[in-house]
Amino acid sequence: AEAGETVALEIDFGNGARREFAALPHRDGMTVGDALRLARDFGPSLAFTHQGEGELSFLTSFDGVPNQGPGGRFWLYQVDGQRAAVSYEVQPLAAGQRVLWQFTEPE
């Protein structure tokens, strides 16, 4: 993609470990889910699991680190510092935006 036509994806495991994909190619109509699939197909790939589809899709693990359930940590994301209010599968991404997934306790 040309300069400015990318999105960034970062995974924060909450223990000092991070993975970053600094320049995934952007396309019209792209969602956070599309960025995850690009990272999965990129080398070295990113592994993730989920439940549900579309607006009901819920991410359950990254690289073998699963959500912990009630009282524990979960995978939550934000775009350009704003916490998400919808499923990652329907959250649109514009060129130049940055997605951060964190393994953290819900607020």
Side-chain angles (χ1 to χ4, degrees):
E2 294 180 30
E5 293 184 3
T6 63
V7 295
L9 172 66
E10 184 176 354
I11 315 301
D12 178 354
F13 289 87
N15 62 358
R18 292 176 176 258
R19 300 231 14 225
E20 183 173 15
F21 299 83
L24 296 169
H26 179 266
R27 65 167 176 76
D28 288 341
M30 187 175 201
T31 66
V32 171
D34 294 327
L36 289 178
R37 284 182 286 281
L38 282 172
R40 178 190 63 202
D41 297 339
F42 195 80
S45 69
L46 175 70
F48 65 93
T49 61
H50 68 94
Q51 293 178 342
E53 298 296 327
E55 65 186 34
L56 300 177
S57 192
F58 179 72
L59 193 111
T60 55
S61 75
F62 270 122
D63 284 346
V65 178
N67 289 330
Q68 294 177 332
R73 296 186 297 169
F74 288 84
W75 287 105
L76 303 173
Y77 80 94
Q78 53 186 261
V79 177
D80 288 344
Q82 296 291 333
R83 269 259 160 101
V86 297
S87 169
Y88 68 94
E89 284 291 5
V90 297
Q91 175 64 51
L93 281 180
Q97 287 191 304
R98 180 174 193 80
V99 178
L100 171 62
W101 282 91
Q102 294 176 297
F103 193 53
T104 187
E105 293 180 10
E107 292 180 359

